[in-house]
Amino acid sequence: MQHSSQPGAPSRPTDLGDLLVEKGFLSGKDLESARKLQRDRGGRLAPALVDLGFVKPDNLLQTQAEQLGLPMLRSAEFPSELPSVEAIPPSYMRHFRFVPVGGDDSCLRVAMADPLDLETLASIQGLADRPVRPVLATEHDILAAIEMRFGAPEHRQPVDAATADIEHLRDMASEAPVIRYVNSLISQALSERASDIHLEPLEEGFRVRYRIDGILDGRAAPARPLRAAVVSRLKLMAGLDIAERRLPQDGRIRTKVLGRDLDMRVATMPTLHGESLALRLLDDATAAAFDLQSLGLGENLLGRMERLAMLPHGLLLVTGPTGSGKTTTLHAALKRVNSTERKIVTIEDPVEYHVEGVNQIHLNPAVGLTFATGLRHIVRQDPDVIMVGEIRDRETAEIAVRAALTGHSVYSTLHTNDAASAITRMVDMGVEDFLLASSLVAVLAQRLVRLLCTQCRTPGDSVPGPAGRVVRTWTATGCEACRGRGYHGRIGIFELLEVDDSIRGIIARKGSARSVAEAARSDGMRSLQEDGWDKIEQGLTGVEEVLAATQDS
């Protein structure tokens, strides 16, 4: 460990024990005894010297201050008004023997009994969200200052065993090992571009996994005694009830990690062996970088999608299975049309990406705010563009279609395997075929495939593709840049069905999805697989990725 890389890390030019002997505060014989104790039980020398009574606390403090080049505070020198930091509870200060003594928004001064405890220093800095500068003080003076500022620790008698368990978990969730693990779990997930974190209790253990580029990847689980406290800390951060373990709960965590604003959706689920947690990471910086071009739309598709997004009215649907990037595509389209001349309103479940200048509504069925009721009121707000997170029922579908017919541009999503199936799905929901034929302008079907690592990809064999086409493939063996996976990032493959007069006639005649698809292909629509094979030939992805993503289309 490089101490200089830690927040507030002091240097150690001279050995503490030798300095104490040199000053006459400690005998050589006692120093050897203390070092033997230190070797036997681990840890640092200073606590061993105090525990054995070989050095007076004041003398130790004075020598450490000289050794480390740090200021020190005696009891009479503590400020009369100590600051409080909302994110740092007094129980945490007591446990790790520190207390804030001053500072401002740019820096926090903290009195510590052990300024070489770099992990605690890093944890304080993370909680306070600013640099930390340690000053030396004795444990006695620190505890006295905490008691004077916050009062003596409460010793409550629990009403019953269940209450005692909850209080214990609440206390553990505020302790340094739990805070450090949770902070590390989230920051590591963000640095590795994980979209989700899964914490799952098993019959014989506990599993932690990141979803990276759509694939789950295992990570080290917290130590057994910390597992329940880690779950409780995440629930507390999300504003959930840690006493409720029988019912699923949903919450959000808004925090800053690695200098970036991070929004996390937290979902709990009771299982046979305990509570399972799923965290969806929504990084504002990553979301801001998305646009239609970066999603993987080829030049031809990009131009057509930009034209469709700018239409003054009509229904534009994006379809695909869960996790295929539909919401990201809709938000990229919204960004394309977002301007001061247009009023844009969305209703989403939940709001995943925050878009500046767009009125975004979070679905809340508990108070009667569904897609259908929300959409009905949105239409009265005189919007130019409306985005509905998903069309799930007949009422929502009918309101969306009527909004598109009355001068609004409406974007939404459906769960279907291909573009043509979206039309029959809307009809099956109960939308009148002639209304759908008049309102629908296009359907974009999509999937996500992993991108080959550009650092280790190499040309592979040529293989037969669709329609007798021979395609050169690429492979990647894995390297440091992609952490040995061979893939780094994801890109979309697409199928765009534009509704022309021919397809409107098929819809009005209640034609099948197959007849719609055949008419679209005769007009030049390229399938998901064909777009995928283009990306294989360009060296963007692998054959197995495209085949796996399109096997149901």
Side-chain angles (χ1 to χ4, degrees):
M1 179 184 295
Q2 296 298 317
H3 291 225
S4 59
S5 65
Q6 299 292 333
S11 60
R12 295 187 289 178
T14 311
D15 179 80
L16 176 63
D18 293 340
L19 261 178
L20 288 165
V21 171
E22 180 183 302
K23 288 179 170 291
F25 296 148
L26 178 69
S27 70
K29 182 179 179 181
D30 287 346
L31 175 59
E32 288 305 313
S33 299
R35 281 179 170 158
K36 182 179 185 305
L37 176 64
Q38 180 193 9
R39 286 192 298 270
D40 290 344
R41 72 178 187 182
R44 284 178 285 279
L45 179 63
L49 290 168
V50 173
D51 290 349
L52 291 168
F54 290 161
V55 177
K56 293 179 180 180
D58 278 356
N59 291 339
L60 179 64
L61 185 72
Q62 177 185 330
T63 307
Q64 280 187 301
E66 181 181 326
Q67 178 210 19
L68 302 173
L70 291 176
M72 64 179 183
L73 280 182
R74 301 188 187 277
S75 58
E77 298 170 332
F78 273 75
S80 57
E81 290 292 329
L82 294 177
S84 65
V85 180
E86 186 177 348
I88 305 178
S91 59
Y92 185 52
M93 299 178 196
R94 289 188 186 95
H95 187 82
F96 290 96
R97 305 298 195 258
F98 74 89
V99 65
V101 292
D104 52 32
D105 290 341
S106 63
C107 179
L108 182 69
R109 293 178 65 241
V110 174
M112 299 186 70
D114 185 4
L116 294 179
D117 183 354
L118 302 177
E119 288 188 348
T120 296
L121 269 170
S123 183
I124 298 169
Q125 177 167 302
L127 291 169
D129 195 24
R130 57 187 130 156
V132 171
R133 294 290 175 263
V135 297
L136 273 165
T138 65
E139 284 192 9
H140 178 273
D141 291 345
I142 288 170
L143 292 174
I146 294 172
E147 184 170 339
M148 181 174 294
R149 173 63 177 82
F150 300 102
E154 298 180 12
H155 297 287
R156 293 166 293 187
Q157 290 298 321
V159 176
D160 52 34
T163 304
D165 180 46
I166 296 302
E167 291 302 318
H168 177 62
L169 280 176
R170 194 182 299 274
D171 288 342
M172 283 190 66
S174 297
E175 291 184 355
V178 174
I179 292 173
R180 281 198 295 267
Y181 178 82
V182 169
N183 289 349
S184 173
L185 181 76
I186 295 171
S187 60
Q188 188 66 23
L190 188 59
S191 67
E192 293 192 35
R193 302 175 301 100
S195 61
D196 303 83
I197 305 172
H198 294 268
L199 297 94
E200 303 159 308
L202 306 174
E203 184 176 7
E204 297 293 335
F206 192 88
R207 185 165 59 186
V208 176
R209 295 185 289 179
Y210 292 162
R211 189 178 292 280
I212 301 172
D213 297 334
I215 306 296
L216 286 171
D217 194 4
R219 289 295 182 273
R224 184 178 296 274
L226 301 182
R227 290 170 186 172
V230 166
V231 170
S232 294
R233 174 151 189 84
L234 287 166
K235 289 175 69 175
L236 287 169
M237 291 171 70
L240 303 179
D241 181 1
I242 65 170
E244 180 55 77
R245 304 169 188 170
R246 300 163 299 172
L247 296 173
Q249 297 185 71
D250 294 299
R252 299 183 82 96
I253 299 172
R254 184 79 178 171
T255 186
K256 187 180 284 289
V257 180
L258 303 176
R260 290 149 66 179
D261 290 323
L262 182 65
D263 197 10
M264 289 179 285
R265 285 164 39 196
V266 181
T268 74
M269 178 68 68
T271 71
L272 184 63
H273 304 295
E275 277 188 294
S276 173
L277 263 68
L279 288 76
R280 167 64 56 88
L281 278 63
L282 304 169
D283 177 17
D284 285 358
T286 302
F290 281 130
D291 55 37
L292 287 172
Q293 187 168 12
S294 67
L295 299 180
L297 289 161
E299 187 174 339
N300 178 266
L301 277 182
L302 176 63
R304 292 162 65 193
M305 272 299 294
E306 289 184 332
R307 176 179 56 80
L308 290 165
M310 297 296 291
L311 290 176
H313 56 81
L315 177 62
L316 173 63
L317 294 175
V318 179
T319 185
T322 300
S324 58
K326 301 186 297 295
T327 301
T328 303
T329 297
L330 285 185
H331 277 89
L334 285 182
K335 287 171 64 177
R336 176 67 182 82
V337 301
N338 190 12
S339 70
T340 56
E341 291 79 28
R342 292 186 181 87
K343 179 171 183 176
I344 303 175
V345 185
T346 76
I347 181 163
E348 306 170 63
D349 182 25
V351 175
E352 293 194 5
Y353 303 121
H354 298 273
V355 184
E356 187 67 29
V358 173
N359 300 279
Q360 296 177 271
I361 303 169
H362 182 86
L363 203 69
N364 190 354
V367 297
L369 181 56
T370 64
F371 279 128
T373 57
L375 184 53
R376 189 178 291 111
H377 289 283
I378 287 171
V379 173
R380 299 170 190 163
Q381 290 289 313
D382 186 32
D384 298 292
V385 181
I386 302 169
M387 190 193 97
V388 185
E390 183 183 346
I391 293 177
R392 297 174 179 171
D393 53 52
R394 175 177 179 171
E395 188 178 9
T396 307
E398 287 182 339
I399 300 170
V401 165
R402 292 187 183 278
L405 286 170
T406 55
H408 303 91
S409 184
V410 181
Y411 304 161
S412 192
T413 72
L414 278 177
H415 286 277
T416 63
N417 291 333
D418 57 28
S421 297
I423 294 170
T424 53
R425 175 81 178 110
M426 292 285 283
V427 173
D428 289 345
M429 279 185 183
V431 176
E432 294 288 349
D433 44 36
F434 68 92
L435 293 178
L436 184 63
S438 302
S439 61
L440 186 65
V441 294
V443 183
L444 180 74
Q446 68 178 68
R447 300 289 190 278
L448 291 176
V449 294
R450 290 185 294 169
L451 282 165
L452 288 168
C453 174
T454 56
Q455 302 299 309
C456 61
R457 71 177 180 185
T458 55
D461 299 329
S462 294
V463 300
R469 174 182 173 187
V470 176
V471 177
R472 184 181 68 169
T473 66
W474 294 72
T475 59
T477 55
C479 64
E480 186 176 345
C482 62
R483 299 179 183 268
R485 299 186 186 103
Y487 291 95
H488 190 275
R490 288 192 290 178
I491 197 170
I493 57 174
F494 302 94
E495 173 182 283
L496 179 60
L497 187 159
E498 290 193 68
V499 179
D500 58 13
D501 289 341
S502 170
I503 292 175
R504 286 191 189 94
I506 296 172
I507 296 172
R509 296 192 301 271
K510 295 183 171 60
S512 66
R514 174 174 291 186
S515 60
V516 170
E518 287 173 353
R521 279 197 288 269
S522 69
D523 285 342
M525 183 185 79
R526 305 182 75 250
S527 69
L528 286 163
Q529 270 208 5
E530 287 173 313
D531 191 42
W533 280 99
D534 286 348
K535 289 179 169 68
I536 291 170
E537 192 159 41
Q538 294 164 24
L540 296 175
T541 191
V543 175
E544 66 283 352
E545 283 291 303
V546 171
L547 295 181
T550 59
Q551 59 185 348
D552 59 352
S553 64

